[in-house]
Amino acid sequence: MPRKKQRFGKLHQTLKETNYSATSGAAGEYLNYLKGTNKLTVDRKPDAKFLKIFNVGVTPFGEEPNTGSGAITAIQASITVQGDNIKSLFSAATDAAFGIERDFTKMLIDASFYAAECVITVVPTASLAQAKTQKQSKITKRNYKSYAGVRSGSVPYGRTTTVPDAQTEGGTATTPTLATVSEEDVRKSLMDVLKKGTVGGQYTVLGLHFIPEEFVEVRSFDRAKPTGSNLATGIPAS
């Protein structure tokens, strides 16, 4: 089961503070969405193959890892084929950079664990030479502009020793270990690897968004990545 995310947290808080009485503006339109008046439809919805969820493993930041010989530290997390395909566009965005393990025999299951996620937004490089198109949010009715062909994918990340050496106050470089690396260390490393403007194939990074790890509720595990005719390749067409 995917992690529950509050996409419109600020608007929801505004509605609560006004006892759900908003009748206009973004808050009013959001209330209409909650009532079912404003319908959310997805333009350019990817084929179901791209949205197929499978499992990979990452080592949590919130638990001290076992550093003994042969210890299994990775816990299963979820990723979609689309997210994995977007990650694969960029040669420096390796599994090691995210701390990703793909061998199920080297993963544990913790039903309460939701990994930290790096949401990668990309755009066809050719679209950057074109003017943005005017669009309107189907929920808030706000107008905004966007490039054609934008896609996003969430990739889990965890502890990894591939982050750059940390600097102490005295300026001495320290070699990271699985036990000492922090979520912020990995986040900063990914921001460097996938900084805005990075090109991979026919796509360019527009931006990154990070979601911290959580320990919450139960979902499914042991799902392998699709193969053969069930595996979507590339990025969904515009």
Side-chain angles (χ1 to χ4, degrees):
M1 181 170 60
R3 186 193 326 223
K4 295 179 180 179
K5 302 172 186 176
Q6 183 66 56
R7 292 179 57 196
F8 299 94
K10 291 183 178 179
L11 285 176
H12 200 83
Q13 183 61 34
T14 298
L15 286 180
K16 288 179 65 177
E17 291 172 351
T18 59
N19 198 28
Y20 295 88
S21 61
T23 58
S24 61
E29 296 295 351
Y30 176 61
L31 180 57
N32 286 335
Y33 162 70
L34 296 179
K35 291 177 177 178
T37 303
N38 290 350
K39 302 293 184 181
L40 177 61
T41 57
V42 181
D43 296 330
R44 301 171 50 246
K45 184 175 182 178
D47 184 275
K49 290 182 180 181
F50 289 100
L51 302 179
K52 182 71 174 178
I53 296 172
F54 64 100
N55 295 117
V56 295
V58 296
T59 300
F61 299 103
E63 294 182 338
E64 184 174 348
N66 185 336
T67 56
S69 177
I72 296 177
T73 63
I75 296 178
Q76 286 192 28
S78 300
I79 185 173
T80 64
V81 170
Q82 178 166 308
D84 200 37
N85 289 358
I86 288 176
K87 169 187 171 295
S88 297
L89 290 170
F90 306 95
S91 59
T94 61
D95 281 357
F98 286 83
I100 287 176
E101 173 61 65
R102 294 181 187 262
D103 184 347
F104 285 146
T105 67
K106 298 179 181 179
M107 306 177 207
L108 303 173
I109 291 178
D110 182 338
S112 68
F113 174 65
Y114 284 86
E117 295 179 16
C118 174
V119 184
I120 310 167
T121 300
V122 298
V123 61
T125 302
S127 293
L128 294 174
Q130 304 169 3
K132 292 182 179 181
T133 56
Q134 186 77 26
K135 296 185 178 182
Q136 185 182 65
S137 168
K138 295 179 175 61
I139 294 178
T140 67
K141 302 304 179 181
R142 286 173 172 165
N143 293 320
Y144 65 98
K145 292 184 178 181
S146 177
Y147 290 112
V150 173
R151 291 290 187 189
S152 294
S154 296
V155 181
Y157 65 95
R159 291 178 186 261
T160 175
T161 58
T162 65
V163 296
D165 289 347
Q167 297 292 320
T168 66
E169 291 184 5
T172 303
T174 58
T175 302
T177 66
L178 206 61
T180 61
V181 70
S182 70
E183 186 169 347
E184 184 64 11
D185 290 332
V186 182
R187 189 183 74 86
K188 288 180 177 179
S189 178
L190 293 175
M191 289 177 67
D192 182 59
V193 168
L194 291 167
K195 56 181 173 290
K196 184 176 181 178
T198 300
V199 177
Q202 298 179 9
Y203 288 81
T204 297
V205 174
L206 267 185
L208 302 179
H209 172 63
F210 293 89
I211 302 171
E213 73 178 21
E214 295 180 86
F215 287 84
V216 280
E217 57 187 63
V218 179
R219 62 200 189 284
S220 301
F221 296 94
D222 284 329
R223 292 165 295 189
K225 185 174 181 178
T227 59
S229 61
N230 291 320
L231 175 63
T233 58
I235 307 300
S238 299

